[in-house]
């Protein structure tokens, strides 16, 4: 049997799984590259290959014969960039033509958000390898906004009055599927994916209040307060830096701005926070 034209990573997760289901619904054969084949979704037209991002030989074998790969970024970890580089090098060795990479909004070497710097470095490695690629730079996940609320109904963080244009995972998946169905047309493009509105966290709290039927407040911490309030979680320093810099990036204006990519590539409006909450 001929190899499918598309490989999808992260198919056991929230975003990769959404993309894989959309491709299956469109009748597109695909190869799901997963670490645990027992957790791979059972989809029509999908075959499963086993490989972790940090196992170059396994990745090369899993991607052989597939021209286009969706690379969902690895889970946050101290060696996340090394995993990305290993995967990309293996993809090039396997003869992959292009990578559609789930990057991050405002990716830059001097970005305030620590993980946005990592995504920039990953994009640079893709360029250096000579692979055609498309970068989907998604803003914060709109789906996770309710999780910012603490047990005391307060959103805490040093975001000041900055704005964030969070984007729904379903919208990201719709864009990714549209790109994967006609990938050559998008080669070399960098797409900023946002929701239809840019909200302060105080405004987000008001929308959450209306949905939940109780008062949700935003407390603008200082940076020092933010590190202190998260110290009790026992998380490593790099992880806490990521948490705190999410908010300081909002304060710096690096999460603001609304793009037209979601409606332009999917044909439907981007999802607002109120709309997402109403669907739950």
């Amino acid at each position: 049997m001929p190899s499918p034209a598309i490989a999808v990573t992260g198919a056991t997760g929230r975003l990769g799984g959404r993309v894989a289901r959309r491709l299956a619904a469109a009748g597109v054969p695909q190869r799901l590259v997963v670490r645990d084949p027992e957790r791979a979704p059972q989809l029509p037209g999908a075959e499963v290959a086993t490989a972790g991002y940090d196992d170059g030989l396994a990745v090369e074998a899993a991607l052989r014969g597939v021209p286009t790969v969706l690379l969902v970024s690895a889970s946050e970890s101290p060696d996340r960039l090394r995993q990305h580089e290993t995967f990309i090098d293996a993809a090039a060795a396997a003869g992959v033509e292009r990578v559609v990479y789930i990057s991050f909004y405002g990716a830059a070497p001097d970005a305030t958000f620590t993980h946005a710097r990592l995504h920039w470095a990953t994009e640079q490695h893709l360029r250096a390898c000579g692979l055609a690629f498309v970068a989907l730079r998604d803003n914060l996940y709109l789906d996770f906004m309710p999780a910012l609320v603490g047990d005391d109904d307060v959103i805490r963080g040093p975001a000041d009055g900055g704005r964030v244009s969070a984007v729904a995972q379903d919208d990201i998946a719709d864009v990714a599927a549209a790109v994967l169905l006609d990938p050559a047309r998008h080669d070399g493009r960098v797409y900023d994916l946002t929701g239809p509105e840019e909200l302060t966290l105080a405004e987000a709290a008001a929308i959450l209040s209306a949905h939940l039927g109780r008062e949700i407040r935003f407390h603008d911490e200082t940076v020092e307060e933010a590190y202190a309030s998260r110290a009790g979680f026992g998380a490593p320093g790099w992880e806490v830096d990521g948490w705190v810099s999410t908010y300081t990036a909002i304060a710096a204006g690096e999460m603001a701005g609304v793009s037209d990519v979601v409606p332009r590539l999917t044909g439907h409006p981007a999802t607002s926070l109120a709309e997402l909450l109403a669907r739950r």
Side-chain angles (χ1 to χ4, degrees), residues 143-169:
D143 312 61
F144 291 173
M145 293 294 279
L148 300 180
V149 181
D151 292 338
D152 57 356
D153 288 341
V154 177
I155 300 173
R156 286 184 168 80
D160 196 13
R163 295 183 175 274
V164 56
S165 308
V167 59
Q169 288 179 316

Side-chain angles (χ1 to χ4, degrees), residues 23-114:
L23 294 176
V28 177
Q30 59 185 310
R31 183 175 298 162
L32 308 180
V33 181
V34 298
R35 287 178 299 177
D36 182 359
E38 296 298 320
R39 296 180 55 222
Q42 302 298 308
L43 298 172
E47 60 186 44
V48 177
T50 305
Y53 287 9
D54 57 353
D55 187 341
L57 291 177
V59 171
E60 184 178 347
L63 298 183
R64 196 167 290 122
V66 180
T68 299
V69 176
L70 174 70
L71 174 54
V72 178
S73 53
S75 300
E76 295 176 4
S77 69
D79 67 341
R80 192 182 191 192
L81 178 58
R82 182 187 61 79
Q83 291 186 50
H84 288 175
E85 291 174 341
T86 299
F87 184 97
I88 291 164
D89 291 344
V96 168
E97 296 174 11
R98 72 177 55 78
V99 172
V100 179
Y101 175 57
I102 304 296
S103 187
F104 194 80
Y105 193 78
D110 58 351
T112 300
F113 181 40
T114 56

Side-chain angles (χ1 to χ4, degrees), residues 6-246:
I6 300 171
V8 174
T9 69
T12 59
R14 294 183 180 92
L15 183 55
R18 281 175 163 87
V19 177
R21 289 192 293 273
R22 282 159 172 77
L23 294 176
V28 177
Q30 59 185 310
R31 183 175 298 162
L32 308 180
V33 181
V34 298
R35 287 178 299 177
D36 182 359
E38 296 298 320
R39 296 180 55 222
Q42 302 298 308
L43 298 172
E47 60 186 44
V48 177
T50 305
Y53 287 9
D54 57 353
D55 187 341
L57 291 177
V59 171
E60 184 178 347
L63 298 183
R64 196 167 290 122
V66 180
T68 299
V69 176
L70 174 70
L71 174 54
V72 178
S73 53
S75 300
E76 295 176 4
S77 69
D79 67 341
R80 192 182 191 192
L81 178 58
R82 182 187 61 79
Q83 291 186 50
H84 288 175
E85 291 174 341
T86 299
F87 184 97
I88 291 164
D89 291 344
V96 168
E97 296 174 11
R98 72 177 55 78
V99 172
V100 179
Y101 175 57
I102 304 296
S103 187
F104 194 80
Y105 193 78
D110 58 351
T112 300
F113 181 40
T114 56
H115 295 290
R117 297 176 219 152
L118 177 145
H119 286 289
W120 168 260
T122 300
E123 290 182 14
Q124 294 303 104
H125 194 74
L126 279 164
R127 290 185 174 94
C129 282
L131 292 170
F133 80 98
V134 184
L136 303 183
R137 292 182 173 178
D138 52 76
N139 207 294
L140 291 183
Y141 288 160
L142 191 68
D143 312 61
F144 291 173
M145 293 294 279
L148 300 180
V149 181
D151 292 338
D152 57 356
D153 288 341
V154 177
I155 300 173
R156 286 184 168 80
D160 196 13
R163 295 183 175 274
V164 56
S165 308
V167 59
Q169 288 179 316
D170 279 331
D171 290 347
I172 300 169
D174 286 345
V175 169
V179 169
L180 290 166
L181 290 173
D182 188 12
R185 185 167 71 88
H186 302 277
D187 282 349
R189 300 299 298 271
V190 175
Y191 291 120
D192 289 333
L193 276 58
T194 75
E197 57 194 352
E198 48 179 13
L199 300 172
T200 67
L201 292 187
E203 291 169 344
I207 294 170
L208 288 163
S209 297
H211 173 73
L212 297 172
R214 62 182 193 273
E215 184 184 6
I216 307 297
R217 297 185 298 109
F218 167 60
H219 172 63
D220 184 32
E221 294 180 308
T222 65
V223 172
E224 293 74 19
E225 287 173 336
Y227 275 98
S229 65
R230 289 154 177 80
F233 291 102
W238 63 266
E239 189 168 17
V240 179
D241 288 342
W243 293 344
V244 175
S245 64
T246 303

